[in-house]
Amino acid sequence: MEPWWAFSPEEWTAVRLSLLVASVATLASLPFGLLVAWLLARVRFPGKTVLNGIVHLPLVLPPVVTGYLLLILFGRRGPLGAFFESWFGLVFSFRWTGAALASAIMGFPLMVRAMRLSLEAVDRKLEDAGATLGASPAFVFLTVTLPLVAPGILAGMILAFAKAMGEFGATITFVSNIPGQTQTLPAAIYTLTQVPGGDGAALRLTALSVALSMGALIASEWLATRLGRRVAAA
């Protein structure tokens, strides 16, 4: 008899898929998150309030609604889904790529908020000093702004990753719950709670999910503090 903490191959598959989905979701949304955070923090333009509302909409919408909207837009018959399949051969619906897309959208507001707060906290005099020395805006951003906001970027990435690891509602609505293909860690836990004798496996995966989430939050805090000290000492 195997101990209760021994994971089955199917459970490890769900864990690996969750890590893949969360990693792809975080990295793919990073440049867009930084761009949107910059626009909201530094640029005045008509419709800024609307953009801010759209960015944070996934936080207040029921996840099932977000998943259904993704199915309409990115399904094979949806306008965006048909476009990506025709031009790039990329299919989202009922694929792990769709799980990554749903997770990225659900974690995007957390990423943008952390980056925006970090950008707003930067002392603009430091950037102005670089500009007065003849540096281009791009050079100032790369050498002055980016190091200063690195803790916020890191915190946003970790929060988005943790959110992606725990995403369930939008994902299961958009890509279903297919073992080995779209069954992430939360979906596997849900499935195990619905079958007789699945409590032990559900407990194992729940414990792992809690450990991963806590580890991500602790790592985010530690790295952000470390980077913050380096920036302050520079």
Side-chain angles (χ1 to χ4, degrees):
M1 182 177 180
E2 294 184 351
W4 71 269
W5 60 82
F7 291 91
S8 68
E10 293 78 12
E11 293 165 13
W12 278 121
T13 298
V15 173
R16 287 193 296 268
L17 183 60
S18 291
L19 292 172
L20 173 64
V21 166
S23 299
V24 171
T26 303
L27 294 176
S29 59
L30 177 59
F32 301 101
L34 186 56
L35 175 61
V36 172
W38 175 271
L39 290 174
L40 293 176
R42 297 294 182 84
V43 182
R44 294 182 179 180
F45 57 92
K48 182 176 180 178
T49 303
V50 175
L51 176 61
N52 185 60
I54 293 174
V55 168
H56 290 87
L57 198 58
L59 291 180
V60 295
L61 276 179
V64 174
V65 174
T66 302
Y68 182 64
L69 291 175
L70 288 174
L71 189 60
I72 293 175
L73 294 174
F74 288 91
R76 289 200 166 187
R77 296 184 179 181
L80 296 178
F83 170 79
F84 278 102
E85 184 176 5
S86 299
W87 288 88
F88 304 102
L90 189 59
V91 178
F92 292 103
S93 58
F94 306 106
R95 303 285 180 88
W96 74 267
T97 49
L101 175 61
S103 298
I105 289 176
M106 295 301 294
F108 194 71
L110 301 176
M111 176 183 288
V112 170
R113 181 168 179 80
M115 293 180 181
R116 179 183 179 180
L117 292 175
S118 186
L119 282 166
E120 291 175 343
V122 171
D123 188 354
R124 301 293 294 271
K125 294 179 181 179
L126 298 175
E127 297 173 322
D128 295 338
T132 57
L133 295 175
S136 65
F139 187 78
V140 170
F141 177 79
L142 292 175
T143 59
V144 179
T145 309
L146 198 58
L148 291 174
V149 301
I153 294 175
L154 179 63
M157 291 178 63
I158 296 295
L159 288 174
F161 180 86
K163 176 63 177 177
M165 285 293 297
E167 170 50 35
F168 174 71
T171 301
I172 200 171
T173 304
F174 183 34
V175 298
S176 190
N177 184 12
I178 307 173
Q181 298 184 40
T182 65
Q183 188 179 79
T184 56
L185 191 56
I189 294 173
Y190 172 77
T191 299
L192 289 168
T193 61
Q194 306 301 308
V195 299
D199 293 342
L203 181 60
R204 286 195 297 269
L205 294 181
T206 298
L208 178 61
S209 180
V210 172
L212 289 173
S213 299
M214 284 299 298
L217 293 174
I218 293 172
S220 173
E221 184 67 22
W222 181 79
L223 290 173
T225 302
R226 188 178 181 87
L227 284 173
R229 290 175 179 173
R230 286 185 178 181
V231 171

